Amino acid sequence: MAIATSGPGATNLVTGIATAMLDSIPIVCITGNVSSKVLGTDAFQEVDITGITLPVTKHNFSSTAQKISPQPCAALSKSPSPAVQAVLVDITKDAQQGTAILTSLPPSRALSPPPMLHVDEAGLAQAPN
């Protein structure tokens, strides 16, 4: 999981999200954004992070205070799948400061741990410094 603020904080995640997608590593990213009242007005540090990350995420969406409750659960349930990719949830400032009631949880889906790399101790000892 990765969390970033709006604007440059969100855009700095893009390389990591793309890398996770290319390496089939599941990741859920949560970014902040400006208040829903000023979305689309080029407000300070407003960026269309869902548009920017569209090519490198399996699913992404922007949450406002009115629809935040089920969305993080939906994102988590979409992430662990055979074609593992990143999921991004962009949350507006007013939604971050508001209150939401979680009414239901999606069915649990356990993640398999990533395969462990085997280190050849003998080969490592022979490697030049």
Side-chain angles (χ1 to χ4, degrees):
M1 176 176 269
I3 300 173
T5 188
S6 60
T11 59
N12 283 339
L13 281 180
V14 176
T15 301
I17 294 169
T19 301
M21 183 199 73
L22 292 170
D23 291 342
S24 297
I25 297 171
I27 186 169
V28 175
C29 300
I30 299 173
T31 56
N33 211 332
V34 298
S35 177
S36 59
K37 295 174 183 144
V38 295
L39 279 175
T41 65
D42 291 328
F44 179 68
Q45 291 198 343
E46 177 187 6
V47 67
D48 179 15
I49 196 64
T50 55
I52 292 169
T53 59
L54 195 57
V56 293
T57 56
K58 177 180 180 180
H59 185 70
N60 68 31
F61 48 85
S62 185
S63 285
T64 60
Q66 294 78 24
K67 63 178 185 174
I68 191 171
S69 183
Q71 288 186 332
C73 292
L76 292 169
S77 68
K78 289 176 189 285
S79 183
S81 69
V84 178
Q85 293 180 349
V87 174
L88 182 127
V89 181
D90 187 50
I91 305 174
T92 60
K93 184 177 180 180
D94 52 320
Q96 295 173 41
Q97 295 172 337
T99 302
I101 298 171
L102 183 61
T103 56
S104 65
L105 293 173
S108 176
R109 296 173 69 178
L111 285 175
S112 301
M116 298 302 292
L117 297 175
H118 175 70
V119 176
D120 179 6
E121 298 290 335
L124 186 62
Q126 295 174 357
N129 292 4

